[in-house]
Amino acid sequence: MEFTEAFKQAGPCCFSPDSRFLAVAVDHRLFIRNVFSLKVEQLYSCVDKISFIEWAPDSQYVLCGLYKRPMVQAWSLTHPDWTCKIDEGPAGIAYARWSPDSRHILTTSEFQLRLTVWSLVNTACVHVQWPKHTAKSVSFTRDGKFAAVCIRRDCKDYVNLLSCQSWEVMGAFAVDTVDLAGVEWAPDDSSIVVWDSLLEYKVLIYSPDGRCLLKYQAYESGLGVKTVAWSPCGQFLAVGSYDQQVRALNHLTWKTFAEFMHMTTIRAPCNATIFKEVDEPLQLHMSDLSLSDDFALNIQDGSIDNSREGNCRVKYKVVDLPVNLPFQKPVIDKPNPKQGIGLMSWSCDSQYLLTRNDSMPTVLWIWDICRLEPAAVLIHKDPIRAAAWDPTGGPRLALCTGSPNLYMWSPAGAWCVSIPLSEFSICDLKWSSGGGRLLLKSKETFSCAAFVQDLPDSTEECTTSDDE
C-alpha cells in the first residue's frame, strides 16, 4: 500500500461517487481535491462552520450542512459561480440529503415539524408534514423513482410513498409500530422493512401497496432491535438485537434461517480462524544502531532487542481454541447500554456479514453465510471505531481502532498495516466507490491509501505480514 502525506481537516470528508474528487471541510471552507494528486481543484467558502457534507449522486454538486446556523449551502463543480443557499427560518434544519436525481435537496426541520423537498431546477418546494425522524425517515428505491417517508400523525406511524418526479403522495398506509425507528427499501424494490424502537422487538415487512408480509418478533420483555441491514443481493435481511444475537431471514418465506450468537468463549469444534492483535518487538542489526540509541544487544547474532514501548510492530497472531474474548459488563443504571449488535454490514457479494457486539467492542465477527458459521474472529487491543467492506470485487475488509494501524481481512487471511505518518491515529475510514483507495481520518488530519498490488494469496503470508 502507498500513503499520501497528511492534510489538514476539521470536519467531514468524503469521496465523490465517481471516485474522482475528495471533499474536505476545514471549518467554514470546503476544499475539493483531485483524488489522484490531492491538488485543490475548487475552494468554496461557507457562511459558517461545516457540519455535514454529501455529494450528489452524479458528482456534479455537493451540499454542506451548516447546522449551527442552521442553513444548507450547495455548490456546483461544473459551474463554480453557481451557488444555492437554503434557510428554513425559525423552523431550522436538522438534516439534509440529496434525492437520487441530483436535482433536489431534502431537508428536515428541527423537532421533525416538516420535511421539505427543494428543487434546484425551478426553485419550487414541496412540504411533507410530521416526518418521524431526521435521517432515518426517508428511503429511496434503487431506481430512484419512489421514496418511502415515515410520518407520525394522530399518535400513529404511517409510511407515505412519494413519486420522485412530481413529489406527490402516490399512496400511504399505517404500520403496526409503537414508535417506528427506521425504514428501508429492499434492494430489489419489492418490499419495505420497518422496525420498532428498542423498547419493543418488532420487525415488519410490507409490500409497496401496504400489505403486511411479515410481523417478526423474536422475544418479548426485553430491549429489541438495534440494527437492520439488507444484503446487497436482496435475498437476506439481518436483524441485530440487544440480546447479542443476529437473526437472518430469507426473502422467499420470510423465515429465520440462521441465528448468530456472540459467545464470550469460543470452543471447539469451530472452523473459524481466530486472529489476535499482538505486539512484536523489532529486531534490528548493529548497523542500524546509532550512538544515541539505547537498546539491548544480543551478543550471539549481533541483533538488537528493541522491545521498549513504541519500538514494536503490530501483527495478527492465529490463536488456538478455546479463546476467552474480552467482555465488558454493561452499566445497568445508565441509558443506552453498551450491549447488542451495534455494527453490522454485508460484503459486496452478500457472502459475508461483519458484526460487533457492543459488550465486546474490541472483537469483530465475520460470518460465512454459505456455511452459516463464523469464518473469522478478529480480537484487538482497542475498541473498533469503524469497519467497511470494499464496495467492488471480492470480499475485502478494512477497519480501524483509533491506533496508528490499519487492519485488513479477506478470505485469504488477515494482516496489519503500519501507517508511515507521525502522530496519525485512524479514527474513521471510507472506501472510494471504485474500491482502490481508502480515506483515513485522524483527529485533525487525513490521508489517502492506495492499493498498488493484489492481496496476498496465501494465508501464511497474510497472517504474518504487517505491511503490504
Side-chain angles (χ1 to χ4, degrees), residues 256-288:
T256 303
F257 68 89
E259 293 188 3
F260 300 136
M261 301 180 63
H262 297 70
M263 308 297 294
T264 57
T265 302
I266 302 177
R267 297 184 174 89
C270 179
N271 296 322
T273 305
I274 314 299
F275 298 96
K276 185 176 183 179
E277 179 187 2
V278 296
D279 288 330
E280 182 181 54
L282 292 175
Q283 295 294 326
L284 303 179
H285 195 269
M286 289 186 64
S287 60
D288 299 323

Side-chain angles (χ1 to χ4, degrees), residues 248-318:
L249 292 77
N250 73 82
H251 77 301
L252 296 177
T253 63
W254 298 118
K255 300 294 184 181
T256 303
F257 68 89
E259 293 188 3
F260 300 136
M261 301 180 63
H262 297 70
M263 308 297 294
T264 57
T265 302
I266 302 177
R267 297 184 174 89
C270 179
N271 296 322
T273 305
I274 314 299
F275 298 96
K276 185 176 183 179
E277 179 187 2
V278 296
D279 288 330
E280 182 181 54
L282 292 175
Q283 295 294 326
L284 303 179
H285 195 269
M286 289 186 64
S287 60
D288 299 323
L289 181 62
S290 64
L291 294 177
S292 60
D293 291 330
D294 182 20
F295 300 123
L297 180 62
N298 188 323
I299 301 298
Q300 294 182 352
D301 59 5
S303 65
I304 300 161
D305 183 9
N306 187 5
S307 59
R308 296 182 306 174
E309 185 177 359
N311 297 316
C312 299
R313 68 174 183 176
V314 171
K315 71 171 188 178
Y316 278 125
K317 178 183 178 182
V318 177

Side-chain angles (χ1 to χ4, degrees), residues 312-382:
C312 299
R313 68 174 183 176
V314 171
K315 71 171 188 178
Y316 278 125
K317 178 183 178 182
V318 177
V319 297
D320 298 327
L321 300 179
V323 177
N324 293 320
L325 302 179
F327 177 81
Q328 298 178 0
K329 188 176 181 180
V331 181
I332 60 176
D333 58 348
K334 291 186 178 181
N336 301 318
K338 292 185 179 299
Q339 69 179 60
I341 310 304
L343 178 65
M344 182 169 62
S345 177
W346 291 88
S347 62
C348 182
D349 58 2
S350 301
Q351 185 175 348
Y352 295 96
L353 177 71
L354 72 83
T355 59
R356 183 199 65 203
N357 178 10
D358 289 346
S359 298
M360 296 181 280
T362 63
V363 181
L364 190 74
W365 299 70
I366 301 173
W367 304 88
D368 189 329
I369 300 302
C370 295
R371 298 182 178 181
L372 300 181
E373 63 181 6
V377 179
L378 280 60
I379 308 171
H380 305 88
K381 296 185 294 183
D382 301 307

Side-chain angles (χ1 to χ4, degrees), residues 12-74:
C13 308
C14 58
F15 287 110
S16 61
D18 61 5
S19 299
R20 294 177 55 202
F21 301 103
L22 177 65
V24 182
V26 181
D27 295 327
H28 68 283
R29 294 176 297 172
L30 176 67
F31 292 84
I32 305 298
R33 294 181 178 271
N34 184 289
V35 166
F36 301 99
S37 64
L38 288 184
K39 292 183 178 180
V40 178
E41 300 281 348
Q42 298 286 350
L43 173 61
Y44 304 107
S45 181
C46 298
V47 299
D48 207 337
K49 185 177 180 179
I50 300 172
S51 305
F52 175 77
I53 292 176
E54 184 177 75
W55 284 92
D58 64 0
S59 300
Q60 296 184 20
Y61 298 89
V62 60
L63 71 80
C64 301
L66 318 177
Y67 297 152
K68 290 185 178 180
R69 175 69 52 161
M71 185 183 295
V72 171
Q73 287 188 265

